[in-house]
Structure formats: structure tokens, C-alpha cells
Amino acid sequence: MWIDTHCHLDAHEFGADALGIAARAEGAGVSMIVIPAVERGNFDAVARLAHTAPNASYALGIHPICVPQARDEDLVLLRAAVEAAMSDPRFVAIGEIGLDFFIPSLCEPAMREKQERFFREQLRIARDFGLPVLTHVRRSQDQVLKHLRQVTPPGGIAHAFNGSEQQANTFIKLGMHLGFGGAMTFTRALQIRRLASSLPLDRIVLETDAPDISPSWIHPARNSPEQLPAIGAALAVLRGLDTAEVSAAAWHSSAAAIPRLTALLS
């Protein structure tokens, strides 16, 4: 079995085929797809999709790219939505949250401050409800780590990890797991491939970030959770392991990173 720990299955790129894609992924061995929200406007959509696709679950959060349009009352709404969802077994995490200092407009001082304020408050929500976080760390690993030290949730995932070995080990020391996906399938991605091959296997989880970050064999076409088994096989080659061994390890590390998945997969 494979677990896609990060897939935006509700994205417009999938159109009306989201359920078909989830079914094909299940047929390929993907037993669970975690669908993170990105803004208050899709909280209901990810929950509905997770309840419609038998191999799906969801997270609630406000993505840093959506912070410019977000209002402070969205944080109040998020806390209320999380409280209401705690009785829903398909609700598993807070996400996607974090910081993005790659997009120039998000690097302006006022927007950096707003991003960090929204991130801190969402970390508090995760801590208060005992939930893991799915963190966006693009060009922001050190800043994300700073906030995780100050407001520490019970674990989670540094999604699409692309930092240094030192940063990776710091995330691990804070109880986090590291997400690897299509980027590590490119031979030119030397740093990512080195980390994927050398970091503790029990701290690595697999993800597609579909429809984004397509693996090398379909790039630049739309990514899909159907690709996860092949991404896992690529990790097995990097580590010199059997694919079945990597599948089992990734299953256990995903369940450790997102404990509420265990009940869905038992």
C-alpha cells in the first residue's frame, strides 16, 4: 500500500475527474490520499471529496499563497471548523500552512509579517487540538523552524522538502517528517536525491503535490496520485532497496506523521 500524504485532488486541473483519478490511484495501490485545504473557500470542498472518495482524507488550513486575500476572521473560522471536524475520522491534520518566500510579492515586509502571523496562529490551532501540520517551506525552512520551536505542534510534515541536511535534521529533532515526491526523480536534483537516499527512512514520507511537481517521466504534464507508486519505486532505487520495503516503510512513517490515518487504514 502507498499513502500520498499531499495531493490537491480538489484542484481545478482535475475538473470532474477527481473521483476517477482517486479510483485509478487506488487500483494502482494508493490506499490513502491526504487532501489539504488552501483557504476558507475550499474547506467544505476538501471535506466533501474526502467523504466521496473511499481512499481519501483531508486537512484544513490557510496556504501562505492565499494569505494576501485572507482576513483575520478566517483564522476564527478555521479554529471553529477544526473543532467541528474533530469528530470526523477523515479529518487528519492542519494544512496546508507555512511560509513562502519565493514569490516576490510575498517577500514584501508587510506580507512577510502577515504570513508569519497566520502561520503562528495556525500552529497554535494545531497544538491546541493535538494535530500534526502539513507545512509549506519554500525558501523559508529556517523561518518555519523558528516558529515550530516557539509553537510546537505534535509533529507533521515539511512538505516538498528542499533544504539542507542540517535543516532536515532540525525538522526531525522537532518531531517532523520530510515529504519527497516528483522532484527527486530528476537526475539534476542532486541535493534532493542525496537527502532522499541518506536521511532516516522512518522520517521520509511520499507525496505527489498533484497536480504540481510532476515526476520526470511525465513532466511537464499534470501530476496525479496515480504516479505515487512509481515515485516510491524511484526512492527504492536511490536507496538500493526493494520497492516493497520502501512501501512498507513509507506507510509506517506516514502513519507516524499523521496518526489519525491509522484508524482509516486498519
Side-chain angles (χ1 to χ4, degrees), residues 25-164:
E26 186 173 29
V30 181
S31 56
M32 183 54 59
I33 301 167
V34 181
I35 312 169
V38 296
E39 61 179 346
R40 64 180 290 179
N42 78 327
F43 289 178
D44 290 341
V46 297
R48 284 196 304 270
L49 187 53
H51 278 274
T52 308
N55 59 330
S57 57
Y58 69 101
L60 295 175
I62 301 169
H63 194 294
I65 292 178
C66 297
V67 164
Q69 295 78 39
R71 299 173 293 181
D72 286 351
E73 53 261 39
D74 293 353
L75 293 169
V76 177
L77 184 147
L78 173 62
R79 182 175 284 273
V82 168
E83 183 173 13
M86 288 301 293
S87 60
D88 182 356
R90 291 191 177 267
F91 171 61
V92 297
I94 300 295
E96 178 176 358
I97 67 174
L99 301 171
D100 191 305
F101 297 141
F102 173 76
I103 299 173
S105 62
L106 295 179
C107 298
E108 297 295 327
M111 195 50 60
R112 286 179 68 104
E113 188 281 330
K114 187 177 182 183
Q115 278 197 72
E116 295 195 48
R117 180 163 53 84
F118 268 67
F119 184 40
R120 283 195 304 272
E121 181 55 35
Q122 293 183 92
L123 287 176
R124 291 188 185 102
I125 293 171
R127 181 193 61 191
D128 293 349
F129 287 94
L131 291 165
V133 291
L134 309 179
T135 58
H136 181 97
V137 298
R138 189 161 62 163
R139 300 277 180 91
S140 62
Q141 287 91 352
D142 287 336
Q143 295 88 346
V144 167
L145 285 167
K146 178 189 76 173
H147 291 289
L148 286 172
R149 291 188 190 98
Q150 295 171 354
V151 184
T152 306
I157 298 169
H159 151 61
F161 186 76
N162 187 18
S164 68

